[in-house]
Amino acid sequence: TQLLEQSPQFLSIQEGENLTVYCNSSSVFSSLQWYRQEPGEGPVLLVTVVTGGEVKKLKRLTFQFGDARKDSSLHITAAQTGDTGLYLCAPRSGAGSYQLTFGKGTKLSVIP
Amino acid sequence: NAGVTQTPKFRVLKTGQSMTLLCAQDMNHEYMYWYRQDPGMGLRLIHYSVGEGTTAKGEVPDGYNVSRLKKQNFLLGLESAAPSQTSVYFCASSGPGREYFGPGTRLTVT
């Protein structure tokens, strides 16, 4: 059974600050996805990382996949109130894997 | 193109009552999923389907049944609701490289 941990569980920061959230596992993954979920809505895909060591940037968001493909991080630069939400990581185990397993998420609040 | 839609958006049931949640997608996706989301527990997979006429159990299937009679629809049934099934239910369909989620159904069982 894979263990998937996201940290921190909660994070409250001032607008303009930087932050990093983490997704760690005991298993190796073929790829990993990050989703953001706003209150009252379903999760929305932000990015998929596939290669160990890969770094992807989406405006102020930087995603990194660990070299061993067991962990990932999401860094937000100069957070804005619109970044508020639940950030979920979802690794995939391999080809033919139909089931997407989600971490419990990091709940981010950006205070004006 | 509506994406993934769910009905109803809210529902209150009494213990022992039954109901069906409907999920519809207009993207011609083969794979569809039902998740529940509880505080501190993240999203947990209930059942999923890899095509019309097929269903499979996920992580927490007990107390739920599903049907996929048409490719575009995935139904989640509760035959005898229990307070432990109070949750927010999300449906998703899977396209190339990503999942698309519906807006959720908030269910309360009293």
Side-chain angles (χ1 to χ4, degrees), chain A residues 6-13 21 86 105-109, chain B residues 39-40:
Chain A
Q6 287 192 246
S7 61
Q9 189 175 357
F10 300 98
L11 186 58
S12 182
I13 62 170
V21 299
L86 180 67
T106 292
K107 190 170 184 179
L108 172 65
S109 296

Side-chain angles (χ1 to χ4, degrees), chain A residues 33 35 37 92 98 100 104, chain B residues 31 33 37 40 90 97 99:
Chain A
Q33 296 180 323
Y35 288 78
Q37 184 179 19
R92 287 195 186 276
Y98 302 119
L100 198 61
K104 294 181 180 180
Chain B
Y31 304 160
Y33 309 84
Q37 187 173 36
F90 288 98
E99 275 66 35

